[in-house]
Amino acid sequence: MTTLVTGIGELTTQDPERGTLQDAALVIDDELIAWVGPAASAPAADERIDVEGRAVVPGFVDSHSHLAFAGDRADEFAARMAGERYDGGGIARTVEATRAAPDEVLRALLARRVAELRAQGTTTVEIKSGYGLTVDDELRTLRLAAEVTPETTFLGAHVVPAGTDVDSYVALVTGEMLHACAPHARWIDVFCEPASPHAFDGDAARTVLEAGRAAGLGLRVHGNQLGPGPGVRLAVELGAASVDHCTYLTGDDVDALAGGDTVATLLPGVEFSTRSPYPDARRLLDAGVTVALATDCNPGTCSSSSMPFMIALAVREIGMTPAEALWAATAGGARALRRTDIGVVAPGNRADLAVLDAPTHLHLAYRPGVPLARSLRSPTRRRLTRR
Ligand code: NIG
Ligand code: FE
C-alpha cells in the first residue's frame, strides 16, 4: 500500500542533498519512504493525504528518557523552585515506588507515556532502566521497556542503592545484573558524576562501561551534569555513542568531543526543571561537535516529554538557531542512537514523520507550549492528519 502525502508547505528533510523543500510531497510504501520531491512531480499512489500547507519534519528522536518508573516527585520540583539544589538523592524515592509497582501497573504507565510522546511528534524513544537496582527489578524494567522500543538502555549504575557500598554494587552491576539484563538491552549507561554523593566516579564508570561493552552493549554516559568531571572524556575515549547533559565542560572536554565521534546530547529541560545553569550549545557547535537534543523525561530532573519544548528551550536559552535545534532533535538524536534509518527524510528510510499545525519549523520555537506537532506514522497516519 503506497500513500502520497502532498500539500506539504515546508518539508525539512535533514538530507544534505535535498535540504528544505517548499510545496513538497512524499510517498510512503508501508513503513518506508519511497519518494521525496516537489508536489508538482509526485508519482501516483494508492491513497493520497493532503496536509494543506502544513510543515512536515522528521519525527523527533528522543534519545534519552527514563520512562519506566512509578510515582511522582512534583514536591521536589517545587522545593527546587524555592531554592533547593538537585544532587540525585531523590532517585531513591522513585526506586522505592517502582519496585512496589506490579508489572501491569508499570506496563500501563509506560504505554501512557509513550502515547504522550507520540502525540507530540516523537517517533523514536530510548528508554533506560535505573529505578529497579536489583537484578529482578532491572530485568523486568528492561523487559517492559523492550515491549515499546528497541532502544533500551541498562542503567543499573544509576545510583548506589541504600544498604550497599559502591564496590559491591559495581560488582553486582557488572556481574549478575549485567548478565541478566544484557539480552534485553541495546545500550549500557552510567551516571558518572563525582559531584553527586549518590552516583559514580570515573573509575567505577569505566568499570561499568567496559563490562557492558564486553557483553555486547553500546555505550552511553550521563556526564558533567552537576559539575566538571571525567564523564565526557571517558565517553569519548571509550567510543560511547553519546554523552548526555554536558552542562559543565572544560576546554579539554570540548576538544575531546570535537575530536571524537561521541555525540553531545543536551537536555535543557533538566536545567529548566532544576534551575541550574544551561549548557552552552553554541560553544559546542562552533567547535564542530555533533549535538543532539532529548527530553531526559524522568520524575526527578525533567518531567516534560515534549521535544518541541526542548527545541524552544534550545533556541531561547542555549544558543541554537531554530534549524540547528530541529536538526539536533531529529538527525542529531538518530546519530546519538547510531541509527541511519531515522531522523532524515530520504527514500529507504523509515517513514517516521511529524506534521506541524504550522507553516514552518520556526513555529516550534516561536509558539512554545502550543501542541503543534503530531507524529505521522503509518498505522495512525489518516487519523493524525484529519483534525
Ligand atoms: O538524567 N542524572 C541522573 N538521572 C536522571 C535523573 C533521575 C532522577 O532524578 O530521578 C537525569 O537527570
Ligand atoms: Fe537521564
Side-chain angles (χ1 to χ4, degrees):
M1 164 73 109
T2 56
T3 305
L4 170 66
V5 182
T6 191
I8 304 174
E10 179 193 85
L11 176 62
T12 304
T13 69
Q14 311 297 25
D15 177 354
E17 280 176 25
R18 289 185 175 79
T20 298
L21 307 174
Q22 319 296 323
D23 298 324
L26 52 89
V27 174
I28 297 169
D29 190 350
D30 286 329
E31 294 294 312
L32 301 181
I33 295 167
W35 183 90
V36 180
S41 47
D46 300 328
E47 63 171 12
R48 185 173 185 276
I49 293 170
D50 188 345
V51 297
E52 298 168 351
R54 292 182 174 88
V56 170
V57 301
F60 302 122
V61 179
D62 190 351
S63 60
H64 183 143
S65 90
H66 305 249
L67 299 186
F69 68 88
D72 171 294
R73 283 157 50 205
D75 55 344
E76 286 180 26
F77 171 77
R80 283 196 303 271
M81 294 305 109
E84 206 144 289
R85 275 193 55 236
Y86 176 82
D87 73 352
I91 293 171
R93 291 175 68 199
T94 303
V95 169
E96 199 180 324
T98 305
R99 284 179 185 169
D103 283 5
E104 58 274 21
V105 170
L106 268 186
R107 184 179 282 119
L109 287 167
L110 263 169
R112 202 172 73 198
R113 291 175 187 137
V114 169
E116 186 180 288
L117 262 78
R118 290 215 180 288
Q120 300 171 88
T122 296
T123 48
T124 299
V125 63
E126 177 262 17
I127 300 178
K128 301 175 197 298
S129 66
Y131 293 119
L133 310 187
T134 63
V135 175
D136 286 351
D137 286 301
E138 285 295 298
L139 174 59
R140 81 185 179 109
T141 307
L142 284 166
R143 279 185 197 275
L144 291 167
E147 292 177 6
V148 295
T149 183
E151 301 296 345
T152 52
T153 299
F154 170 46
L155 180 58
H158 199 182
V159 287
V160 181
T164 182
D165 63 274
V166 65
D167 290 343
S168 339
Y169 188 62
V170 168
L172 178 69
V173 167
T174 57
E176 191 189 341
M177 197 184 278
L178 175 62
H179 184 72
C181 290
H184 307 280
R186 180 169 181 227
W187 305 98
I188 188 165
D189 195 343
V190 55
F191 186 11
C192 177
E193 195 67 64
S196 163
H198 311 282
F200 299 85
D201 66 15
D203 290 341
R206 178 186 292 277
T207 303
V208 168
L209 293 169
E210 285 179 345
R213 184 165 62 186
L217 302 180
L219 309 185
R220 325 187 68 73
V221 177
H222 278 72
N224 303 53
Q225 173 184 2
L226 304 176
V232 165
R233 270 160 294 148
L234 182 65
V236 175
E237 181 200 322
L238 297 182
S242 182
V243 56
D244 300 35
H245 288 285
C246 297
T247 310
Y248 291 89
L249 299 184
T250 63
D252 284 350
D253 294 327
V254 176
D255 290 348
L257 285 164
D261 67 351
T262 299
V263 172
T265 299
L266 306 183
L267 311 164
V270 169
E271 283 73 35
F272 176 88
S273 306
T274 54
R275 250 196 220 294
S276 308
Y278 283 97
D280 185 350
R282 190 75 261 145
R283 180 184 183 203
L284 289 166
L285 290 165
D286 289 348
V289 175
T290 302
V291 172
L293 283 171
T295 63
D296 198 9
C297 187
N298 75 79
T301 58
C302 177
S303 196
S304 172
S305 56
S306 170
M307 288 295 278
F309 180 53
M310 302 310 140
I311 289 172
L313 285 178
V315 171
R316 176 64 180 83
E317 304 288 353
I318 68 174
M320 300 179 89
T321 67
E324 285 168 341
L326 179 59
W327 190 92
T330 54
R335 294 263 185 103
L337 293 173
R338 300 236 160 121
R339 294 273 300 266
T340 54
D341 59 333
I342 55 174
V344 174
V345 180
N349 277 2
R350 287 187 58 79
D352 289 357
L353 302 159
V355 63
L356 310 184
D357 212 354
T360 76
H361 72 282
L362 297 176
H363 291 68
L364 288 167
Y366 172 56
R367 305 198 67 210
V370 180
L372 299 179
R374 283 164 186 252
S375 56
L376 182 75
R377 282 187 95 195
S378 48
T380 46
R381 194 174 295 136
R382 281 175 165 281
R383 189 165 55 78
L384 290 173
T385 50
R386 289 191 181 151
R387 295 158 55 99

